[in-house]
Amino acid sequence: ALAHTPHDAVFDVALSSSYPRDRIVFALVRGCVFRSEDGGASWQRLIQGLDHKHTLFSLDVADEGRTLFLASLGDGVYRSTDGGDSWSKVNHGLETLNVDGGLIARGAPDVVLASGATGGLFLTRNGGGSWGRLDGPVGKGTGRGLLPHSDDGLLGGGQDGGLQPPEGPGATWRTLRPAGGGGG
């Protein structure tokens, strides 16, 4: 059944930060997580700790491929600290288990932003140990518009097209405008 993996129905792809050296790449294919340690020439299916009851939707990687966060539509967020060999759910304080996106802050693998599939943006600063809601002008589908920013910050797309950097759970967002005063 997986004879065509991973070149069909690919949901997401994430590279190790040291990809040119270690050639590690991860892929979400047909609801399964795969890892390649040879630039995609061969693939290993990663299953330990994943219950496969709900759609795995997005994946992000840090620490040269060691720390990964996986968003799912129904199981919330999974975390791996061993390169995907094992996974655990990290949903304490997360208001929804329907998560359609997530992003690890560059240089800070314990700082993660996750977006609810029907709205809401959530932040953890302790690797998923606890989550808090970020208040502000963000809406459905924000997860696909997340970007790393600085060593421990993240940027998310807002409803008006601007970018708002979250300061922490419960903090307000500040709209950033392009140079020249354009509207987004």
Side-chain angles (χ1 to χ4, degrees), residues 98-110:
N98 291 312
V99 180
D100 68 355
L103 183 72
I104 303 169
R106 186 177 51 223
D110 286 337

Side-chain angles (χ1 to χ4, degrees), residues 104-131:
I104 303 169
R106 186 177 51 223
D110 286 337
V111 179
V112 181
L113 196 61
S115 66
T118 58
L121 208 51
F122 306 91
L123 178 72
T124 181
R125 291 189 178 276
N126 58 10
S130 61
W131 295 87

Side-chain angles (χ1 to χ4, degrees), residues 164-175:
Q164 294 82 19
E167 299 293 328
T172 59
W173 291 64
R174 182 173 47 104
T175 300

